[in-house]
Amino acid sequence: MKTYRRLLRFMARYKGYFFVSFLCMGGVSLAKGALAWAAGPLAQGIFLSKKTSILAIMPVVILAIYIARGLSMFGQAYFMALVSQRTIRDLQNHVYERLLRMSLSFFVRNPTGVLMSRITNDVSLVQQSVSKALSSLIMESMTIVVLFTIAVVKDPMITLIFVVVLPLSTIPVVRFGRKLRKISTKTQVNFGLISSFLHETITGMRIVKAFGMEKYENSRFRDRSQRLYKTRLKSDLVRGFSEPVMDLIEGIGVALVIFIGGSGVIKGQIDFAEFTTLMAAIIMMYAPVKKLSKVHYMIQEGMAAADRIFDLVDQVPDIVDRPDAMELPRVARGIAFDDVYFRYEDKMVIQGVSVEAKTGEVVALVGPSGGGKTTLLNLIPRFYEVTEGAIRIDGRDIRNVTLASLRRQIAIVSQETVLFNDTVRNNIAYGLEEIPNETIVAAARAANAHAFIDELPEGYETEIGESGLTLSGGQRQRLSIARALLKDAPILILDEATSALDTESERIVQEAVNRLMQGRTTFVIAHRLSTIIDADRILVIQEGRIVESGGHAKLIEQNGLYKQLYDRQFADTPAPVEGHSG
Ligand SMILES: Nc1ncnc2c1ncn2[C@@H]1O[C@H](COP(=O)(O)OP(=O)(O)OP(=O)(O)O)[C@@H](O)[C@H]1O
Ligand SMILES: [Mg+2]
């Protein structure tokens, strides 16, 4: 019920259209009643009295009724489509808007495919339930009322028989409906699993092929499609079973009416024309009743889908602005980590990190894989919230400022460069409005990207394909560096920005990075230590702790973990550093 009311709120805006559609539904029902009503005089006039005048009039009358019914049907379908399609569009937009607000941890928890199926598949189930189901519900109910009234007027006693049989036919409907709702939820879960799987394997097709895993993935897909098949089959069976059951009940009803009504006619207790109209009304009444049972299933399915959608919509983002959050002014002094602890779920990944970075400084993070470098830097834009301790910018706890004003001041270049299926120009100017072309070109030049962009078929207007797949790894990185340059943020986060490159492209990208770092507070993660020798401070992170910190020369001198990492990288070309005991 609650779900239904929430959906109705989405529809409320279009209640004008709904009202017109409602009137048309009334037209359809009345037309059906008129047909039943006409059956009596028609049978009487033609078959019993054999009047030619009836033969001349009735076809015209019936044709007119059909035309009226057709027009009403079109009207109700048209206006209902306006209501349902608009409602669904609004719902879809609403879900996506909520989705955008979720924190990153939400997207780690929920598989992409499942989220996608909420916005596509589930929404279309709701749409069916809103358009087809709702209009049938109203139209068929009205038709039943009209036909029932005719039947009662003609013969209340016989109608009573029908009324006794009718409730019987709703028993299977209600029982099966509940079952169907459960099956439908399972179906959607299985459908979500399939979409996730497709998303993963299609985007990772290169790896699938490289490892010769086609057979393996194929069998995994078959597993999933088999599961979907089973639940879908079950729901078809439930539906398929309920229809004959209803038919049987219909048969019993009609047989009873024929027997009782027929004997009435033979005994002369009931007029023939009256009886014919009554029969027509009662027989015509079963079709709407049957349709209503299908509507019941559709509504059950739609409501289950709506439940899932609203579940998603109702999730509260972990990280939101505090009510008294203020705007963070442009960074002046720098960033300080103050005894920061952080855990994902239950694993403490950052354990008591304190470090300060003044404006213009370059702080490098190195250390063994899985040590927590990326995690630590993810705390600055509040992708995740610190568990204990605080991060301060110019002395302000970043939890006390608005997310928008914080993130506006941070540019990120990560190893997995994220590009969108859009033009080169829009990818560079991502998030910025009305940037003059010259500025974009200047950023591209500084990022050593202008030359290759110029050679693209349509230059800056070239579409670069999904995730920028038409570009090389180095080209993609230079685009994301250009994007960061253009953003001109005072804080810069570079996560292994040059690690995927060969020496020559690395030199080109490094040049661009150096230009990017000028005048900003930079945090840089690098596995290639050659790229960070000039950093103001190097932090060696291991198991979530800073185990060493200082300049390159000092750390080499300390002869600790950094020295080990350094030696390992330059094993071929011994570094010209004092204290190196080969
Ligand atoms: N979303 C997550 N949920 C739970 N644990 C996570 C999550 N992301 C990372 N971890 C764990 O946190 C630890 C630190 O990961 P992190 O990515 O920060 O390491 P890193 O130092 O950047 O490693 P690398 O040098 O390989 O990039 C790892 O043990 C990892 O398994
Ligand atoms: Mg990392």
Side-chain angles (χ1 to χ4, degrees), residues 108 344 347 349 368-375 384 496 527:
V108 175
Y344 292 109
K347 191 166 147 225
V349 179
S369 181
K373 303 180 291 294
T374 303
T375 305
Y384 294 91
E496 314 200 67
H527 280 148

Side-chain angles (χ1 to χ4, degrees), residues 35 79 111 130 151 160 182 190 194 202 286 314 320 325 345 351 385 432-433 455 481 483 505 514 529 542 546 552 564:
L35 281 178
F79 286 101
V130 168
L160 198 67
K182 266 191 215 139
N190 286 333
I194 283 208
I202 291 175
Y286 270 107
D314 289 342
V320 288
E345 312 292 297
Q351 317 203 34
E385 207 89 280
L432 304 168
E433 284 151 35
E455 280 171 21
I481 290 170
R483 176 193 287 169
S505 358
N514 289 341
L529 303 187
Q542 188 180 28
I546 300 180
H552 172 75
Q564 275 176 32

Side-chain angles (χ1 to χ4, degrees), residues 206-317:
R206 231 160 48 107
I207 301 297
V208 172
K209 285 190 182 299
F211 282 80
M213 293 300 268
E214 289 96 335
K215 245 197 194 138
Y216 173 72
E217 298 301 355
N218 199 10
S219 85
R220 288 213 299 163
F221 185 77
R222 276 163 183 274
D223 254 17
R224 285 165 176 71
S225 68
Q226 175 69 12
R227 248 180 280 163
L228 183 61
Y229 152 79
K230 273 190 186 156
T231 45
R232 280 194 169 154
L233 186 67
K234 227 186 217 166
S235 96
D236 279 356
L237 287 184
V238 170
R239 261 183 257 244
F241 184 67
S242 73
E243 196 146 322
V245 170
M246 298 223 33
D247 265 356
L248 185 67
I249 294 169
E250 172 185 340
I252 295 171
V254 172
L256 277 174
V257 168
I258 288 180
F259 177 72
I260 298 170
S263 33
V265 173
I266 290 172
K267 284 185 201 144
Q269 290 163 339
I270 306 173
D271 173 67
F272 175 71
E274 306 268 279
F275 176 67
T276 308
T277 291
L278 177 70
M279 275 299 292
I282 284 179
I283 290 173
M284 281 173 79
M285 220 179 311
Y286 270 107
V289 169
K290 263 199 298 194
K291 268 196 199 144
L292 278 185
S293 83
K294 278 194 196 148
V295 164
H296 181 72
Y297 295 147
M298 243 189 247
I299 290 182
Q300 291 289 322
E301 250 183 0
M303 286 309 106
D307 271 343
R308 290 188 294 273
I309 292 171
F310 287 136
D311 259 3
L312 185 82
V313 166
D314 289 342
Q315 301 247 358
V316 185

